[in-house]
Every structure is written in C-alpha cells, then in structure tokens.
C-alpha cells in the first residue's frame, strides 16, 4: 500500500506539472510556427539534437546515477554518502558542461555545416550552448529529489523552466517588434537559456535550505572518492547508452530533410515538412504522455525497492496495473486524435499537413504511452542494457524508414517507420518481462 501511494502521489504531482508545461508548450509552438514560419521552426528543431547530445554527455547518466545513489543512501540512512554522491556527480557534470559549451561555441560553424548540413543553424548552436551549465545544474538536483521521492521541487522547477522560457520569448519578440527591430527563431534558443537558468537557480536555492545538504562540508576526501566511484560506475554505462541513442537520433533528424529532398522536395519544402512534423504534429500526439512519463519516473525507484524485498508477486501486480492503465489511456487518445486530427491541424496550426500527420501518428499512442513505463520498469530492475538494446532496435527501424522509405513514399514512409518502431519496442519489452519473471 505504501508503494502504491508513493507512486500515485509522486506521479500525480509530476503529471500536473507535465500537463501544465505541455499545455504551455503546445500553444508556444503554435506561436512559433505562426510568428517565424514552418521553415524557421524546422531549423530550430534541426539544431536541437546537438544540444541534446551535449546534455546526454554531461548529465543524462549522472542524473540517473545520483537518483539511484540517493535512494540507496536514504534507505541506509547514510547522509554522508548522499552528500558525497550528489556533490561529486554535480561537480563532474558542471565541468563537462563548461568544456562542451566552449567546444560548441568554437566549432558551431563546422557542426552546422558538416554535421547538420545547414549553415544557418550556427547562431542557434552558439545560443543553445549557453544553456548547458544551467540545464546540468537543474538535472543533477532534479535527480537528487527524485531519489528522495520528493517530487514537488522537480515539478515546480519543470513548470518554472517552461513558464520563463515561453514568457521570455514572447516578451522579447514584442519588445523588438515595437522598436521595429527584426527578429528570428534565435529568440526560441534564447528562451531555453532563460528557462534553464531560472530553474537551476530555483533548485540551487532549495538545495541550500536542506539541512543535510546545504554545504559539502563534513565529508572526507575518501568519502568523495568513494562517492565519485559509485556515480561513475552507474553513470558511465548509462551515459554511453544515452550518447549512442542521441547520435542515432541525430542521424535520424539530420537525414529526414535530406531524404525528403531525394523524394523531390526543395530545401525549403523539406524543412517546412520536418517543422510541421516535429514542431506541430508530434507535440500534439505526445501531449497526453505527461501522465505515463510521470508514472515511468516513479517506477524506477519503486521497482528497485520491490526487487530488493524479493516479492515477485508484488512486482507482477504493480506491472500489470501500470500496463493496463497506460495501454487503456493510449487507446482512448488514439481514438480521440483519429476523430479530431484534421480539426486540430486546421484550427490550431492552420495546416492540413499537420492534421494528416496527427491522424497517422495517433495509431502509435497505445504503444508509445505504454513503452515509457515498460522501459522504466526494466531500468528499475537494473536491466539497463536490455532497455538500451530495445531502444536501439526501435531507433534502427526508424532510421531504416528514413533511408529506405522516405525517398520512395515521402514523409508518409517515415510515419510508417515510427509506428513500426513503437510496436517493436512494445513487443520486445513484453517478451523480455515475461521471460524474466518466468525464469525467477
């Protein structure tokens, strides 16, 4: 009962914040598309994988490692270990973020031309790199509070980041327009910097008020070395997995506009199509997943605790309930989006293409919403390598559709690839979980 209440309470708080941020983000993307145009949104989306890759190197694995280390230290009532794990991981992540920030700023022109194939992305990369140190601070402290299962501060920081991001962009746009100054999509990149800075400062302020964590004192050098070793042992394989996944996602993102050109579209048309898909249709389909993502976040520490207790029956019961909840939610929103997709595309985005994309993507909702929780369960069981292998399988299917189907069928081929990849991940997760519990 305690585990159930913890999952429900934590997921509820994260879901409220997730829905609020996605609601703002939904209309924010409408503002971007109408203000700067579909092609500019496509440029912005094209530059983002570089930022995501840098973040993965700096903090993706370290955030999870801090969360797991904090959860373990909390169960053992060892505040010294908690402090050593947090501050050693935090220091490592910050150092990596500044190194990558300087690298991206120096090599922005090269990355945009050779890696992204679009020189106009260089200014966006320079601006986005400034957000790295702040996003890393936010991420590390976020992981600490998730490890404690105290989701209020992570939820507020998430909401604050989105509010400041959207508010800063809208304010700056009208500020410059009233002074007849021409602006561009670079304002969206500046908004990310403002949002991450605000959430980082908020999290740092809350951490300073923690009695046990306000300062890194009272911890010996040996404890820090041990804490760093624990963080590295968890973070290195996780970071390697995340970086490889992000590299594959970057290849996918960069290749879609190029293969659309091979299909016969112009450079501008391919970027516009990519912008409609990733900046309009996908956010609409992903909007309800705030709930399932919150459940997946809480499942990782919860499953780990149940596994330690050795209660197989309790584990199966939790997994069945979570599976039924997520799959039912996916079916509900699948039907809703199929019926209203064209209406949403015309009303909100003024785009018939967006409506068509939404209807096609709606069919993957039952699998998409369930997969996040199934992968969270695998990670909670410590099966991170299997989770990584399943993710890679899904990505390879998507990349295969980019190179094989888009040149023949256009963007429709990629939509088919997205659906196939989600179905494959769904089937592999269920098959492995069934095998895992059968062999217990």
């Amino acid at each position: 009962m305690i585990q159930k209440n913890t999952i429900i309470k934590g997921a509820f708080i994260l879901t409220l914040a997730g829905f609020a941020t996605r609601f703002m983000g939904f209309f924010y993307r409408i503002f971007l598309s109408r203000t700067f145009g579909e092609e500019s949104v496509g440029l912005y989306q094209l530059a983002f994988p570089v930022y995501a890759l840098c973040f993965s190197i700096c903090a993706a694995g370290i955030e999870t490692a801090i969360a797991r280390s904090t959860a373990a230290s909390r169960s053992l009532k060892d505040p010294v270990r908690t402090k050593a794990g947090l501050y050693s991981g935090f220091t490592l992540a910050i150092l990596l973020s500044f190194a990558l920030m300087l690298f991206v700023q120096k090599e922005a022109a090269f990355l945009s031309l050779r890696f992204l194939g679009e020189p106009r992305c260089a200014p966006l990369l320079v601006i986005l790199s400034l957000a790295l140190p702040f996003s890393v601070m936010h991420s590390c402290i976020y992981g600490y509070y998730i490890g404690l299962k105290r989701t209020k501060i992570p939820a507020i920081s998430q909401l604050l980041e989105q509010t400041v991001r959207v508010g800063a962009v809208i304010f700056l746009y009208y500020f410059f327009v009233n002074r007849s100054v021409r602006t561009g999509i670079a304002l969206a990149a500046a908004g990310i910097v403002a949002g991450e800075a605000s959430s980082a400062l908020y999290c740092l302020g809350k951490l300073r008020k923690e009695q046990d964590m306000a300062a890194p004192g009272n911890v010996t050098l040996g404890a820090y070395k041990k804490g760093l070793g624990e963080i590295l042992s968890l973070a290195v394989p996780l970071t390697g997995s995340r970086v490889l996944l992000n590299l594959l996602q970057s290849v996918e993102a960069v290749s879609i506009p190029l293969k659309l050109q091979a299909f016969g579209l112009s450079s501008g048309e391919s970027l516009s199509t990519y912008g409609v898909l990733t900046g309009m249709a996908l956010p609409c389909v992903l909007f309800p997943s705030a709930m399932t993502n919150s459940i997946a976040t809480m499942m990782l520490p919860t499953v780990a605790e149940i596994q330690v207790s050795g209660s197989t029956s309790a584990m199966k019961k939790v997994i069945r309930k979570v599976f039924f909840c997520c799959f039912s939610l996916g079916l509900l929103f699948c039907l809703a989006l199929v019926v209203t997709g064209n209406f949403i595309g015309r009303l909100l985005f003024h785009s018939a293409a967006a409506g068509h994309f939404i209807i096609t993507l709606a069919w993957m909702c039952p699998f998409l919403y369930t997969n996040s929780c199934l992968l969270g369960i695998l990670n909670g069981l410590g099966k991170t390598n299997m989770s990584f292998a399943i993710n890679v399988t899904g990505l390879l299917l998507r990349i295969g559709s980019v190179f094989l189907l888009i040149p023949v069928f256009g963007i429709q081929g990629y939509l088919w690839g997205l659906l196939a990849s989600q179905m494959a991940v769904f089937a592999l997760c269920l098959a492995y979980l069934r095998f895992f519990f059968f062999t217990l």
Side-chain angles (χ1 to χ4, degrees):
M1 182 62 70
I2 295 175
Q3 295 289 356
K4 180 180 177 181
N5 290 339
T6 301
I7 295 174
I8 293 174
K9 181 180 178 181
F12 179 72
I13 293 173
L14 290 176
T15 298
L16 287 180
F19 274 132
T21 55
R22 285 172 188 250
F23 185 79
M24 287 189 287
F26 189 69
F27 290 98
Y28 174 58
R29 290 181 183 274
I30 296 174
F31 169 79
L32 291 181
S33 64
R34 293 184 180 180
T35 303
F36 302 110
E38 295 174 352
E39 184 176 354
S40 293
V41 173
L43 278 175
Y44 173 68
Q45 295 295 133
L46 189 61
F48 211 79
V50 174
Y51 173 75
L53 178 60
C54 291
F55 175 80
S56 294
I57 295 172
C58 297
I62 293 177
E63 175 190 329
T64 304
I66 289 175
R68 290 172 65 93
S69 175
T70 300
S73 304
R74 176 174 173 266
S75 64
L76 296 173
K77 298 181 180 180
D78 188 349
V80 173
R81 179 181 171 185
T82 303
K83 189 181 295 188
L86 172 61
Y87 281 105
S88 59
F90 186 89
T91 302
L92 176 62
I94 289 295
L95 291 174
L96 287 172
S97 71
F98 276 106
L100 281 176
M101 180 187 73
L102 294 174
F103 171 77
V104 171
Q105 290 186 356
K106 183 179 179 181
E107 303 295 338
F110 173 80
L111 291 171
S112 61
L113 180 61
R114 299 298 182 185
F115 184 65
L116 299 178
E118 181 51 73
R120 289 178 292 174
C121 288
L124 297 177
L125 292 180
V126 172
I127 298 172
L128 285 172
S129 68
L130 297 174
L132 271 176
F134 298 114
S135 62
V136 164
M137 293 179 199
H138 178 200
S139 176
C140 290
I141 300 174
Y142 183 98
Y144 165 71
Y145 281 108
I146 290 296
L148 294 177
K149 295 185 180 180
R150 290 168 53 186
T151 54
K152 181 180 178 180
I153 291 174
I156 293 175
S157 69
Q158 182 183 354
L159 187 59
L160 177 65
E161 187 273 330
Q162 183 77 321
T163 302
V164 173
R165 177 198 297 193
V166 174
V169 173
I170 295 175
F171 171 78
L172 288 174
Y173 172 74
Y174 286 108
F175 177 83
F176 287 122
V177 165
N178 290 336
R179 286 158 179 76
S180 301
V181 177
R182 188 177 179 180
T183 60
I185 197 64
L187 286 182
I192 290 181
V193 179
E196 291 293 353
S198 63
S199 61
L201 292 175
Y202 168 77
C203 288
L204 283 172
K206 288 298 181 181
L207 187 64
R208 284 177 59 86
K209 295 180 180 179
E210 297 285 340
Q211 292 183 355
D212 293 334
M213 302 297 295
N218 302 324
V219 181
T220 63
L221 181 60
Y224 273 116
K225 289 182 179 180
K226 186 176 180 181
L228 181 60
E230 181 182 6
I231 293 297
L232 287 175
S233 67
L234 294 169
V236 169
L238 286 170
T239 299
S241 300
R242 296 285 182 89
V243 168
L244 181 55
L245 287 172
N246 271 282
L247 282 172
L248 291 174
Q249 289 170 340
S250 299
V251 169
E252 177 189 33
V254 171
S255 300
I256 291 174
L258 296 176
K259 294 305 174 182
L260 285 172
Q261 292 178 46
F263 176 67
L265 301 183
S266 67
S267 175
E269 289 171 336
S270 63
L271 280 174
S272 295
T273 301
Y274 181 67
V276 170
L277 174 63
T278 58
M280 302 177 193
L282 270 175
C284 181
V285 174
L286 292 173
F287 184 86
S289 66
M291 181 181 297
T292 55
N293 288 343
S294 300
I295 296 173
T297 299
M298 297 305 300
M299 285 300 292
L300 192 151
T302 301
V303 167
E305 289 180 1
I306 297 176
Q307 187 181 29
V308 170
S309 71
S311 177
T312 304
S313 59
M315 184 78 75
K316 290 180 179 179
K317 186 176 180 180
V318 168
I319 291 175
R320 279 195 292 265
K321 287 184 176 181
V322 168
F323 173 84
F324 177 77
C325 174
C326 294
F327 194 79
S328 300
L329 184 70
L331 282 176
L332 176 65
F333 279 100
C334 171
L335 296 175
L337 290 173
V338 166
V339 173
T340 63
N342 283 324
F343 174 75
I344 292 173
R346 290 193 305 269
L347 177 68
L348 298 181
F349 299 113
H350 296 173
S351 172
H356 171 70
F357 293 162
I358 289 170
I359 291 175
T360 305
L361 292 171
W363 295 105
M364 71 179 188
C365 286
F367 312 107
L368 176 67
Y369 296 172
T370 309
N371 287 345
S372 60
C373 289
L374 294 178
L375 291 170
I377 290 168
L378 289 178
N379 288 330
L381 291 170
K383 305 299 178 181
T384 52
N385 289 335
M386 180 54 62
S387 173
F388 168 67
I390 291 174
N391 268 321
V392 168
T393 301
L395 265 173
L396 289 177
L397 284 173
R398 283 160 49 182
I399 293 174
S401 71
V402 172
F403 286 92
L404 299 177
L405 299 183
I406 289 181
V408 179
F409 300 102
I411 197 64
Q412 186 66 41
Y414 179 64
L415 300 181
W416 294 336
L418 280 175
L419 178 59
S421 70
Q422 292 298 328
M423 292 176 67
V425 170
F426 179 82
L428 289 171
C429 285
L430 286 183
Y432 182 79
L433 286 172
R434 183 178 179 85
F435 169 80
F436 177 79
F437 284 107
F438 180 77
T439 56
L440 286 178

